[in-house]
Amino acid sequence: MADSKHLDYLQAVVTRLAGNSFLLKGWSITLTTAIIGLAVKEGGPGFALLGLVPVVVFGLLDAYYLALEKGFRDRFKIAAATYVAEDPPDFDMSSGFSAGAFFAAILRPTVFLLHGVLAAVLVAVFLLLCHAG
């Protein structure tokens, strides 16, 4: 059925958002590792605290993409049910994003655990370097 192309568009958006989230996680880990190495090599605890900035920014972006992805997955379910019921299709491509979905996404394990652990490691490195120097 030609109308199912809308489902393909929604799935493409979900796939793109999931890919963006994956890239953000990789960049967050890479930058945190580089900043820890720089902090230890240079002996500056300030570098470790500076590393919290990209971790927080990437964590918030990750939560944003996760909230958008959930909205589009919900939109996909609604559109798929519409096609099954053979009702006139709704070609809405809005995300259904809300502040509540964003804050719920922050608490998801894929966001909170990864970025929370990276932030905790940076704080631990900061404290170790402060006591070592």
mmCIF file of all heavy atoms in Angstrom, residues 12 14 29 35 42-43 46-47 49 59 65 69 72 76 82-83 90 92 102 108 113 117 121 132:
data_model
loop_
_atom_site.group_PDB
_atom_site.id
_atom_site.type_symbol
_atom_site.label_atom_id
_atom_site.label_comp_id
_atom_site.label_asym_id
_atom_site.label_seq_id
_atom_site.Cartn_x
_atom_site.Cartn_y
_atom_site.Cartn_z
ATOM 1 N N ALA A 12 12.727 5.958 9.369
ATOM 2 C CA ALA A 12 14.001 6.590 9.024
ATOM 3 C C ALA A 12 14.385 7.641 10.063
ATOM 4 O O ALA A 12 15.558 7.763 10.429
ATOM 5 C CB ALA A 12 13.919 7.223 7.633
ATOM 6 N N VAL A 14 13.472 7.624 13.264
ATOM 7 C CA VAL A 14 13.843 6.887 14.474
ATOM 8 C C VAL A 14 15.271 6.348 14.338
ATOM 9 O O VAL A 14 16.085 6.459 15.264
ATOM 10 C CB VAL A 14 12.845 5.742 14.755
ATOM 11 C CG1 VAL A 14 13.364 4.811 15.830
ATOM 12 C CG2 VAL A 14 11.484 6.311 15.140
ATOM 13 N N ILE A 29 32.477 9.542 25.614
ATOM 14 C CA ILE A 29 33.507 8.645 26.155
ATOM 15 C C ILE A 29 34.892 9.073 25.668
ATOM 16 O O ILE A 29 35.847 9.144 26.447
ATOM 17 C CB ILE A 29 33.212 7.183 25.778
ATOM 18 C CG1 ILE A 29 31.962 6.704 26.516
ATOM 19 C CG2 ILE A 29 34.402 6.281 26.077
ATOM 20 C CD1 ILE A 29 31.420 5.375 26.026
ATOM 21 N N ILE A 35 40.338 14.007 28.174
ATOM 22 C CA ILE A 35 40.454 15.023 29.227
ATOM 23 C C ILE A 35 41.090 14.431 30.482
ATOM 24 O O ILE A 35 41.908 15.084 31.132
ATOM 25 C CB ILE A 35 39.080 15.661 29.509
ATOM 26 C CG1 ILE A 35 38.683 16.535 28.314
ATOM 27 C CG2 ILE A 35 39.092 16.462 30.791
ATOM 28 C CD1 ILE A 35 37.259 17.029 28.342
ATOM 29 N N GLU A 42 49.158 16.630 32.708
ATOM 30 C CA GLU A 42 49.474 18.011 33.068
ATOM 31 C C GLU A 42 49.382 18.242 34.576
ATOM 32 O O GLU A 42 49.812 19.273 35.065
ATOM 33 C CB GLU A 42 48.536 18.984 32.342
ATOM 34 C CG GLU A 42 48.642 18.929 30.839
ATOM 35 C CD GLU A 42 50.011 19.355 30.328
ATOM 36 O OE1 GLU A 42 50.615 20.282 30.915
ATOM 37 O OE2 GLU A 42 50.485 18.738 29.359
ATOM 38 N N GLY A 43 48.758 17.288 35.271
ATOM 39 C CA GLY A 43 48.639 17.411 36.715
ATOM 40 C C GLY A 43 47.665 18.493 37.159
ATOM 41 O O GLY A 43 47.754 18.979 38.270
ATOM 42 N N GLY A 46 41.920 21.081 37.385
ATOM 43 C CA GLY A 46 40.961 21.915 36.668
ATOM 44 C C GLY A 46 40.524 21.295 35.352
ATOM 45 O O GLY A 46 39.382 21.491 34.910
ATOM 46 N N PHE A 47 41.436 20.549 34.707
ATOM 47 C CA PHE A 47 41.080 19.879 33.456
ATOM 48 C C PHE A 47 39.970 18.853 33.685
ATOM 49 O O PHE A 47 39.094 18.685 32.852
ATOM 50 C CB PHE A 47 42.287 19.171 32.826
ATOM 51 C CG PHE A 47 43.248 20.102 32.170
ATOM 52 C CD1 PHE A 47 44.508 20.271 32.690
ATOM 53 C CD2 PHE A 47 42.898 20.803 31.032
ATOM 54 C CE1 PHE A 47 45.422 21.131 32.103
ATOM 55 C CE2 PHE A 47 43.789 21.665 30.421
ATOM 56 C CZ PHE A 47 45.060 21.835 30.962
ATOM 57 N N LEU A 49 37.631 18.951 35.971
ATOM 58 C CA LEU A 49 36.350 19.653 36.129
ATOM 59 C C LEU A 49 35.864 20.212 34.802
ATOM 60 O O LEU A 49 34.665 20.222 34.528
ATOM 61 C CB LEU A 49 36.467 20.771 37.160
ATOM 62 C CG LEU A 49 36.447 20.342 38.611
ATOM 63 C CD1 LEU A 49 36.469 21.563 39.530
ATOM 64 C CD2 LEU A 49 35.244 19.480 38.923
ATOM 65 N N GLY A 59 25.242 14.519 27.553
ATOM 66 C CA GLY A 59 24.174 13.813 28.261
ATOM 67 C C GLY A 59 22.816 14.426 27.988
ATOM 68 O O GLY A 59 21.827 13.717 27.758
ATOM 69 N N TYR A 65 17.656 13.472 22.167
ATOM 70 C CA TYR A 65 17.450 12.551 21.047
ATOM 71 C C TYR A 65 16.621 11.332 21.465
ATOM 72 O O TYR A 65 15.799 10.841 20.692
ATOM 73 C CB TYR A 65 18.786 12.100 20.450
ATOM 74 C CG TYR A 65 19.445 13.153 19.596
ATOM 75 C CD1 TYR A 65 20.786 13.457 19.754
ATOM 76 C CD2 TYR A 65 18.736 13.848 18.627
ATOM 77 C CE1 TYR A 65 21.407 14.419 18.976
ATOM 78 C CE2 TYR A 65 19.340 14.809 17.846
ATOM 79 C CZ TYR A 65 20.669 15.094 18.025
ATOM 80 O OH TYR A 65 21.274 16.044 17.254
ATOM 81 N N GLU A 69 13.167 10.308 19.862
ATOM 82 C CA GLU A 69 13.021 8.956 19.306
ATOM 83 C C GLU A 69 11.782 8.271 19.862
ATOM 84 O O GLU A 69 11.018 7.653 19.121
ATOM 85 C CB GLU A 69 14.269 8.144 19.633
ATOM 86 C CG GLU A 69 14.248 6.733 19.089
ATOM 87 C CD GLU A 69 15.454 5.919 19.533
ATOM 88 O OE1 GLU A 69 16.507 6.493 19.853
ATOM 89 O OE2 GLU A 69 15.313 4.689 19.565
ATOM 90 N N PHE A 72 8.704 9.665 18.185
ATOM 91 C CA PHE A 72 8.516 9.153 16.832
ATOM 92 C C PHE A 72 8.132 7.671 16.833
ATOM 93 O O PHE A 72 7.377 7.224 15.974
ATOM 94 C CB PHE A 72 9.762 9.391 15.975
ATOM 95 C CG PHE A 72 9.801 10.769 15.387
ATOM 96 C CD1 PHE A 72 10.635 11.733 15.913
ATOM 97 C CD2 PHE A 72 8.989 11.120 14.321
ATOM 98 C CE1 PHE A 72 10.673 13.009 15.385
ATOM 99 C CE2 PHE A 72 9.003 12.380 13.772
ATOM 100 C CZ PHE A 72 9.849 13.337 14.313
ATOM 101 N N PHE A 76 4.851 6.237 15.211
ATOM 102 C CA PHE A 76 4.876 5.087 14.316
ATOM 103 C C PHE A 76 3.793 4.075 14.703
ATOM 104 O O PHE A 76 3.088 3.553 13.855
ATOM 105 C CB PHE A 76 6.259 4.417 14.352
ATOM 106 C CG PHE A 76 6.402 3.252 13.414
ATOM 107 C CD1 PHE A 76 6.879 3.441 12.133
ATOM 108 C CD2 PHE A 76 6.068 1.962 13.810
ATOM 109 C CE1 PHE A 76 7.005 2.376 11.259
ATOM 110 C CE2 PHE A 76 6.193 0.893 12.952
ATOM 111 C CZ PHE A 76 6.663 1.096 11.667
ATOM 112 N N THR A 82 -3.360 2.800 12.459
ATOM 113 C CA THR A 82 -4.285 3.448 11.530
ATOM 114 C C THR A 82 -4.341 2.687 10.217
ATOM 115 O O THR A 82 -5.407 2.476 9.651
ATOM 116 C CB THR A 82 -3.844 4.910 11.279
ATOM 117 O OG1 THR A 82 -3.837 5.595 12.517
ATOM 118 C CG2 THR A 82 -4.770 5.612 10.315
ATOM 119 N N TYR A 83 -3.176 2.237 9.737
ATOM 120 C CA TYR A 83 -3.148 1.504 8.472
ATOM 121 C C TYR A 83 -3.826 0.151 8.607
ATOM 122 O O TYR A 83 -4.493 -0.302 7.684
ATOM 123 C CB TYR A 83 -1.715 1.325 7.978
ATOM 124 C CG TYR A 83 -1.068 2.622 7.558
ATOM 125 C CD1 TYR A 83 0.185 2.965 8.016
ATOM 126 C CD2 TYR A 83 -1.730 3.509 6.713
ATOM 127 C CE1 TYR A 83 0.770 4.159 7.648
ATOM 128 C CE2 TYR A 83 -1.156 4.699 6.342
ATOM 129 C CZ TYR A 83 0.095 5.019 6.807
ATOM 130 O OH TYR A 83 0.666 6.191 6.449
ATOM 131 N N ASP A 90 -3.003 9.535 8.885
ATOM 132 C CA ASP A 90 -2.571 10.831 9.392
ATOM 133 C C ASP A 90 -1.083 10.935 9.087
ATOM 134 O O ASP A 90 -0.283 10.177 9.630
ATOM 135 C CB ASP A 90 -2.824 10.913 10.898
ATOM 136 C CG ASP A 90 -2.306 12.192 11.519
ATOM 137 O OD1 ASP A 90 -1.963 13.120 10.758
ATOM 138 O OD2 ASP A 90 -2.254 12.261 12.751
ATOM 139 N N ASP A 92 1.089 13.051 9.893
ATOM 140 C CA ASP A 92 1.783 13.943 10.824
ATOM 141 C C ASP A 92 3.181 13.417 11.085
ATOM 142 O O ASP A 92 3.388 12.238 11.349
ATOM 143 C CB ASP A 92 0.988 14.018 12.131
ATOM 144 C CG ASP A 92 1.548 15.025 13.100
ATOM 145 O OD1 ASP A 92 2.398 15.836 12.686
ATOM 146 O OD2 ASP A 92 1.133 15.002 14.268
ATOM 147 N N PHE A 102 11.514 14.586 27.989
ATOM 148 C CA PHE A 102 12.943 14.892 28.080
ATOM 149 C C PHE A 102 13.495 14.514 29.443
ATOM 150 O O PHE A 102 14.526 13.851 29.554
ATOM 151 C CB PHE A 102 13.164 16.384 27.800
ATOM 152 C CG PHE A 102 14.588 16.823 27.989
ATOM 153 C CD1 PHE A 102 15.570 16.451 27.083
ATOM 154 C CD2 PHE A 102 14.946 17.615 29.061
ATOM 155 C CE1 PHE A 102 16.890 16.862 27.247
ATOM 156 C CE2 PHE A 102 16.255 18.031 29.229
ATOM 157 C CZ PHE A 102 17.223 17.652 28.323
ATOM 158 N N ARG A 108 16.722 7.638 32.047
ATOM 159 C CA ARG A 108 16.859 6.311 31.431
ATOM 160 C C ARG A 108 18.278 5.792 31.666
ATOM 161 O O ARG A 108 19.242 6.558 31.641
ATOM 162 C CB ARG A 108 16.577 6.385 29.925
ATOM 163 C CG ARG A 108 15.200 6.861 29.530
ATOM 164 C CD ARG A 108 14.206 5.808 29.540
ATOM 165 N NE ARG A 108 14.713 4.672 28.793
ATOM 166 C CZ ARG A 108 13.986 3.667 28.425
ATOM 167 N NH1 ARG A 108 12.730 3.634 28.714
ATOM 168 N NH2 ARG A 108 14.496 2.666 27.765
ATOM 169 N N LEU A 113 23.212 6.381 33.398
ATOM 170 C CA LEU A 113 24.350 5.559 33.819
ATOM 171 C C LEU A 113 25.626 5.919 33.072
ATOM 172 O O LEU A 113 26.676 6.107 33.680
ATOM 173 C CB LEU A 113 24.033 4.073 33.660
ATOM 174 C CG LEU A 113 23.064 3.495 34.678
ATOM 175 C CD1 LEU A 113 22.808 2.026 34.398
ATOM 176 C CD2 LEU A 113 23.583 3.678 36.095
ATOM 177 N N VAL A 117 28.249 8.048 35.137
ATOM 178 C CA VAL A 117 29.521 7.383 35.470
ATOM 179 C C VAL A 117 30.694 8.213 34.959
ATOM 180 O O VAL A 117 31.693 8.386 35.663
ATOM 181 C CB VAL A 117 29.558 5.943 34.904
ATOM 182 C CG1 VAL A 117 30.961 5.361 34.933
ATOM 183 C CG2 VAL A 117 28.596 5.053 35.670
ATOM 184 N N VAL A 121 33.585 9.721 37.335
ATOM 185 C CA VAL A 121 35.009 9.453 37.113
ATOM 186 C C VAL A 121 35.782 10.764 37.051
ATOM 187 O O VAL A 121 36.872 10.884 37.632
ATOM 188 C CB VAL A 121 35.222 8.613 35.828
ATOM 189 C CG1 VAL A 121 36.682 8.590 35.405
ATOM 190 C CG2 VAL A 121 34.693 7.200 36.031
ATOM 191 N N ALA A 132 46.721 14.714 45.487
ATOM 192 C CA ALA A 132 48.085 14.307 45.106
ATOM 193 C C ALA A 132 49.001 15.535 45.006
ATOM 194 O O ALA A 132 50.202 15.414 45.147
ATOM 195 C CB ALA A 132 48.070 13.565 43.781
#
